[in-house]
């Protein structure tokens, strides 16, 4: 997605494709007859969701000087944290008031329809509010950006995803050795991200099942647990963003990964 956006020289349509894909995907998911169908729809949703991810950071930075990049990324991450937390609150209230009293399967199906409607609203707002940048950043590596503003707290959603489109299969082994345009330090950072994300996913993918099946928590309480987690992220993020202006991002990353 990132390479296509750079080649065509536009950003906004990729965001619109993403929201449209989310709306269609969640709408279909509400009527899925089996888990296998749900999984394939989830693949479709994630592929299109990444189209917006690939252009979101450039949209936030392209018309601002480098001196403002840290603040803009911090602001962007805070808005994302608010969005994630709001979604968790919606899921908690929905399952507690509607889903669980009427049956979780039916409640989730209707919730997917509601999410699809929200995505249609997001599509309309993106079409109305997002303007195409007058200039584009040609170098998408953003190595000068202190990624810690988003990476420390926002579980790396807004950092390495921007770089994946630069990794070509023919360059894989060179990249592993650090003999590439990224250099050895950034290559080592990739290793750290892979290890961190593996541990993160191993925990969080199974966490809802563990809380529901082993601890006996209801779906609404599982949502509530994630609200506490994401809420803490939203509260701490502004302070971390300020800290990056006084402390090197490299040091913050070492502390966070440690």
């Amino acid at each position: 997605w990132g390479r296509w956006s750079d080649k065509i020289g536009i950003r906004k349509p990729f965001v619109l494709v993403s929201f449209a894909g989310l709306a269609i995907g969640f709408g279909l998911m509400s009527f899925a007859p089996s888990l296998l169908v749900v999984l394939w729809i989830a693949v479709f949703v994630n592929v299109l969701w990444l189209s917006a991810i690939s252009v979101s950071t450039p949209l936030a930075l392209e018309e601002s000087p480098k001196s403002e990049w840290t603040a803009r990324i911090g602001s962007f991450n805070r808005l994302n944290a608010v969005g994630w937390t709001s979604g968790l609150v919606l899921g908690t209230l929905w399952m507690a008031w509607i889903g669980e009293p009427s049956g979780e399967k039916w409640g989730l199906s209707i919730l997917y329809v509601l999410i699809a409607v929200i995505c249609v609203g997001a599509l309309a707002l993106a079409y109305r509010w997002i303007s195409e940048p007058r200039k584009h950043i040609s170098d998408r590596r953003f190595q000068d950006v202190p990624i810690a503003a988003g990476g420390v707290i926002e579980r790396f959603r807004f950092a390495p995803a921007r770089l994946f489109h630069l990794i070509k299969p023919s360059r894989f082994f060179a990249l592993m050795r650090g003999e590439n345009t990224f250099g050895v330090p950034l290559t080592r950072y990739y290793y750290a991200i892979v290890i961190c994300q593996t541990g993160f996913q191993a925990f969080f993918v199974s966490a809802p099942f563990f809380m529901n099946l082993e601890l006996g928590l209801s779906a609404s309480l599982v949502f509530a647990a994630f609200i506490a987690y994401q809420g803490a992220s939203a509260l701490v993020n502004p302070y971390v963003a300020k800290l990056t202006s006084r402390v090197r991002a490299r040091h913050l990353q070492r502390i966070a990964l440690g």
Side-chain angles (χ1 to χ4, degrees), residues 57 61 69-70 73-74 77 140-163 186 189-190 193 237 240-241 244 248-250 252-253:
T57 295
L61 301 181
W69 281 10
T70 299
I73 285 182
N77 290 340
R140 291 176 63 87
R141 285 175 291 176
F142 297 117
Q143 289 169 310
D144 295 330
V145 180
I147 296 174
V152 172
I153 298 300
E154 290 303 304
R155 64 190 192 183
F156 308 105
R157 284 202 301 270
F158 309 105
R162 303 302 190 281
L163 307 176
L186 187 56
Y189 182 68
Y190 269 120
I193 293 299
N237 189 280
V240 175
T244 57
R248 289 187 66 186
R250 181 189 301 268
L252 287 176
Q253 287 283 281

Side-chain angles (χ1 to χ4, degrees), residues 68-164:
E68 297 179 6
W69 281 10
T70 299
R72 290 183 69 88
I73 285 182
S75 176
F76 179 75
N77 290 340
R78 286 193 294 274
L79 288 172
N80 275 280
V82 170
W84 277 79
T85 305
S86 300
L88 291 170
V89 170
L90 171 63
T92 301
L93 297 177
W94 181 273
M95 295 308 298
W97 295 346
I98 299 176
E100 289 163 6
S102 58
E104 287 190 3
K105 184 177 181 180
W106 182 88
L108 282 174
S109 295
I110 303 302
L111 179 59
Y112 290 147
V113 174
L114 178 60
I115 295 173
V117 172
I118 292 174
C119 290
V120 171
L123 174 64
L125 293 177
Y127 179 80
R128 182 178 179 85
W129 287 350
I130 295 178
S131 57
E132 191 68 38
R134 291 185 296 272
K135 60 179 180 179
H136 295 302
I137 298 173
S138 58
D139 184 358
R140 291 176 63 87
R141 285 175 291 176
F142 297 117
Q143 289 169 310
D144 295 330
V145 180
I147 296 174
V152 172
I153 298 300
E154 290 303 304
R155 64 190 192 183
F156 308 105
R157 284 202 301 270
F158 309 105
R162 303 302 190 281
L163 307 176
F164 286 157

Side-chain angles (χ1 to χ4, degrees), residues 141 143 147 163 174-194 248 250 253-254 257:
R141 285 175 291 176
Q143 289 169 310
I147 296 174
L163 307 176
L175 177 67
M176 296 293 287
R177 294 190 299 269
E179 299 174 2
N180 49 71
T181 56
F182 296 136
V184 174
L186 187 56
T187 302
R188 290 175 178 171
Y189 182 68
Y190 269 120
Y191 292 149
I193 293 299
V194 168
R248 289 187 66 186
R250 181 189 301 268
Q253 287 283 281
R254 284 172 174 166
L257 290 173

Side-chain angles (χ1 to χ4, degrees), residues 25-94:
F26 280 109
L28 293 174
M29 200 174 291
S30 63
F31 303 104
S34 67
L35 179 60
L36 181 61
V37 176
V38 171
L39 291 175
W40 278 110
I41 294 174
V43 171
F44 166 79
V45 166
N46 276 278
V47 168
L48 292 183
W49 172 71
L50 285 171
S51 68
I53 291 295
S54 69
V55 300
S56 57
T57 295
L59 276 173
L61 301 181
E62 283 182 321
E63 293 193 333
S64 61
K66 277 191 174 182
S67 60
E68 297 179 6
W69 281 10
T70 299
R72 290 183 69 88
I73 285 182
S75 176
F76 179 75
N77 290 340
R78 286 193 294 274
L79 288 172
N80 275 280
V82 170
W84 277 79
T85 305
S86 300
L88 291 170
V89 170
L90 171 63
T92 301
L93 297 177
W94 181 273

